[in-house]
Amino acid sequence: MKRSIKDLRGFLDLLEASSELAVVNVEVDPVLEIAAITDRICKQPGGGKALRFNRVKGSRFPVLTNLFGSSQRTAWALNTDLVQTQADRLASDLKAVDVGGAEEKLWQLVENPLWLPRLIPHPPCQEVIEKERPNVSVVPVLKSWPRDGGRFLTMPMVFTRDPATGRDNCGMYRVQIFGPQLVGLHWGKASDGARHAAAWRARNKPMPIAIALGGDPVLTYAATAPLPPGIEETAFAGYLRQKSIETTRCLTSDLEVPAQAEFIIEGYVLPNQTLPEGPFGNHTGYYAPPAPAPVMQITAITHRHDALYPCTIVGRPPMENCYFAKATERLFLPLIQADHPEVIDLNMPIEGIFHGCALVSIRKQQAGQGRRIIRDLWDKGMLRCSRLLVILDEDVRVQDLGESFWRTINHLDPNRDIVIGRSRIGIDATRKGQDEGKSHAWPPEVTQDDKIRRLVERRWDEYGFDDS
Ligand SMILES: Cc1cc2nc3c(=O)[nH]c(=O)nc-3n(C[C@H](O)[C@H](O)[C@H](O)COP(=O)(O)O)c2cc1C
Ligand SMILES: [Mn+2]
C-alpha cells in the first residue's frame, strides 16, 4: 500500500474511511472510565474498533485508545495491508546484504541516508509552546486500573541520546505523572533508555530527555521493536515507511523529536534522584509492585493547537499491544533466520505475554540440534528472554497451539529433553533418533493408507452423508 500518512490525523482519516473508528461524544472520565470502556471493546473478537473520546473530563483534548488494536490497523500503521508483506520485504533485503550476522545486516539496511530522519522548520508539534510554567496536567492522562499508583502515559516515545556515540534512542517506556513538572520513568534494566541514563550518570551530568506522543504510527511501533542497541528507531521507521521521519530540534535541549507529534514533553533526568513508581496494572494481567524509578524534570511542553492524546490500556490479554507483538514476531523472524537458517517458523502466543513463551519449528539435520538451538536462541536476539522455549520439527504448524501441544507432550521425555537455563526452561520436542538416547526407532505416525484415502474421497457421495 502506498500512502501519504505521516501523522496521527492521517491515520485517523484512514480509520474513519474504513469504518474502523468509533467516536464517543458524551463526557467520560480519564480516571478508570475510559480504560473500562476500552478494555471491553478490545476484548471483542478481532480486537474491536479504535476509539476517540471527544469530551474528556478536565481537559480540552480528545483521547484516542485502541488505535492499533487489530491486525489490520497494525498493518496500516506499518505502512502495509498485511504485516507479512513487510516481513517478506525485510527478509529479502536482509538476504541481499552479504556481510556479517543478522545485526550487522540490519544495521547496513537501516542506516541508509534514505531512511535517516530529516529536520524540518515550523513543526506542527511546536504550534503551542509552554516554557515558563509547563504543566503536564494539560494532557488528559488516564488512570487505567483501580490499584494503579496514579496516572500513566502508556504510549510514550521516550527519546534519549548516548553521550558517548551521540546516537539517539526512542523507546516506549511507561511514564508516571508525579507533579506538574515531574514524571517517573520505567525503563527496564536491559533497555537502551536505561543504558543511556547509566552513561550520563557515570558522567555525573543531567540527561536530556524528551517524550513524544502521537506522530507517524510507524514510529510508535518502532519504539516497541526489539532493535539491537545503537540502531536508531527513527531510521527503522523510515525504512518501514520508505521515507524519512520528519524531526525537529527540542527547545530546551539538543534532542531531535518527531515534528509531526501531537505533544512533546522536554526535560532532564537528574543523576541521582529516584521516586517510588507504581503499582501499575501490567500486560501480564497482574500489578507490577512499586519500585524506585528515575525522574524527569520538565522544562517545556509543546503541542499542536488541537492536539490529540493517544494511549493504550495494558492488562490481561488480549489487549491492543498483542497486535504490535504479533507484528514483531513476523518482522523479526527473518532476523532470527539470518543467524539460524534452520528456523522455519515462530509463534509467540499472546497468553505468554510475548516475551514469556516461544514455539520454534526447525529443520533438524543433526543429533542434539534441538538442544543446541535452545542455547543459541537464549544467547542473543529477540528470544533471549523466553522463559519457555519449545523446539518442534519442521512439519509442525507452530501457529496451531493444539497441534504444537499434542506433539510436545507426546515427544517429551523429561529425562532427556529439558534444558534449564538461568530462570528459563527449554523443551526439545523434536523427534529423536537412536543417536540421541532413544532406545527404539521413532514410532510411525498413525495415518491412513494413501490409496484408501483416495478411494474414500472418490466414493464419498455414494456413502450418502448429507454434508459433502
Ligand atoms: C504499550 C507498551 C508499554 C511498554 N512499557 C514498557 C516499560 O514500561 N518499560 C520497558 O522497559 N519496556 C516497555 N515496553 C517494551 C519496550 O517498548 C521495548 O522493549 C522496546 O524495545 C524498548 O526499546 P529499546 O530497545 O530502545 O530500549 C512497552 C511496550 C509496549 C508496547
Ligand atoms: Mn533502541
Side-chain angles (χ1 to χ4, degrees), residues 14 21 36-37 42 44 100 121 130-131 140 182 185 205 245 252 276 305 309 327 385 396 413 440 443:
L14 171 63
L21 181 70
I37 298 165
C42 71
Q44 290 175 350
E130 205 51 73
K131 273 202 296 193
L182 201 68
L185 300 151
K205 280 190 178 157
I245 295 282
T252 58
H305 288 297
Y309 172 59
C385 300
V396 180
D413 175 348
H440 311 283

Side-chain angles (χ1 to χ4, degrees), residues 56-114:
V56 182
K57 204 169 153 186
S59 178
R60 67 184 181 88
F61 300 115
V63 169
L64 306 171
T65 65
N66 206 28
L67 285 170
F68 311 115
S70 77
S71 313
Q72 184 61 83
R73 297 201 297 276
T74 285
W76 286 338
L78 267 63
N79 190 32
T80 179
D81 286 327
L82 193 64
V83 172
Q84 190 59 46
T85 309
Q86 279 284 26
D88 291 344
R89 172 177 163 235
L90 182 59
S92 84
D93 286 353
L94 284 171
K95 278 200 189 107
V97 182
D98 52 8
V99 295
E103 282 192 18
E104 291 82 357
K105 285 185 205 286
L106 186 64
W107 193 288
Q108 291 270 329
L109 209 61
V110 166
E111 295 286 327
N112 179 323
L114 276 175

Side-chain angles (χ1 to χ4, degrees), residues 297 367 392 453:
Q297 187 71 51
L392 292 140
R453 219 172 31 208

Side-chain angles (χ1 to χ4, degrees), residues 71 110 134 169 172 177 222 233 238 269 276 291 300 398 421 440:
S71 313
V110 166
N169 191 71
M172 187 173 291
I177 310 300
E233 285 77 10
V269 174
V398 291
H440 311 283

Side-chain angles (χ1 to χ4, degrees), residues 169-170 192 227-231 233:
N169 191 71
C170 165
D192 291 334
L227 292 173
I231 295 190
E233 285 77 10

Side-chain angles (χ1 to χ4, degrees), residues 154 169-174 186-188 191-193 223-227 233 312 314 321:
T154 49
N169 191 71
C170 165
M172 187 173 291
Y173 322 112
R174 71 173 187 249
H186 181 271
W187 37 55
S191 70
D192 291 334
T224 73
L227 292 173
E233 285 77 10
T312 187
V314 298
N321 55 1

Side-chain angles (χ1 to χ4, degrees), residues 33-224:
E33 189 180 9
I34 290 181
I37 298 165
T38 305
D39 187 24
R40 191 164 154 174
I41 291 285
C42 71
K43 298 256 180 330
Q44 290 175 350
K49 291 189 183 188
L51 302 178
R52 176 182 173 132
F53 298 93
N54 277 331
R55 284 179 58 210
V56 182
K57 204 169 153 186
S59 178
R60 67 184 181 88
F61 300 115
V63 169
L64 306 171
T65 65
N66 206 28
L67 285 170
F68 311 115
S70 77
S71 313
Q72 184 61 83
R73 297 201 297 276
T74 285
W76 286 338
L78 267 63
N79 190 32
T80 179
D81 286 327
L82 193 64
V83 172
Q84 190 59 46
T85 309
Q86 279 284 26
D88 291 344
R89 172 177 163 235
L90 182 59
S92 84
D93 286 353
L94 284 171
K95 278 200 189 107
V97 182
D98 52 8
V99 295
E103 282 192 18
E104 291 82 357
K105 285 185 205 286
L106 186 64
W107 193 288
Q108 291 270 329
L109 209 61
V110 166
E111 295 286 327
N112 179 323
L114 276 175
W115 314 134
L116 297 183
R118 194 166 57 85
L119 282 166
I120 64 154
H122 315 298
C125 69
Q126 290 175 352
E127 284 172 359
V128 179
I129 295 172
E130 205 51 73
K131 273 202 296 193
E132 298 307 314
R133 305 180 71 191
N135 187 340
V136 72
S137 71
V138 297
V139 187
V141 187
L142 307 193
K143 177 176 174 178
S144 295
W145 303 102
R147 293 194 201 188
D148 279 0
R151 304 191 190 213
F152 292 82
L153 306 174
T154 49
M155 232 180 215
M157 290 171 273
V158 179
F159 286 81
T160 54
R161 182 166 292 163
D162 187 325
T165 63
R167 299 184 70 79
D168 287 350
N169 191 71
C170 165
M172 187 173 291
Y173 322 112
R174 71 173 187 249
V175 173
Q176 184 171 357
I177 310 300
F178 289 144
Q181 290 156 19
L182 201 68
V183 297
L185 300 151
H186 181 271
W187 37 55
K189 275 196 204 76
S191 70
D192 291 334
R195 217 167 34 77
H196 288 181
W200 285 90
R201 206 179 310 122
R203 287 164 168 75
N204 204 26
K205 280 190 178 157
M207 174 173 77
I209 182 169
I211 299 169
L213 302 165
D216 190 318
V218 78
L219 188 56
T220 304
Y221 166 73
T224 73

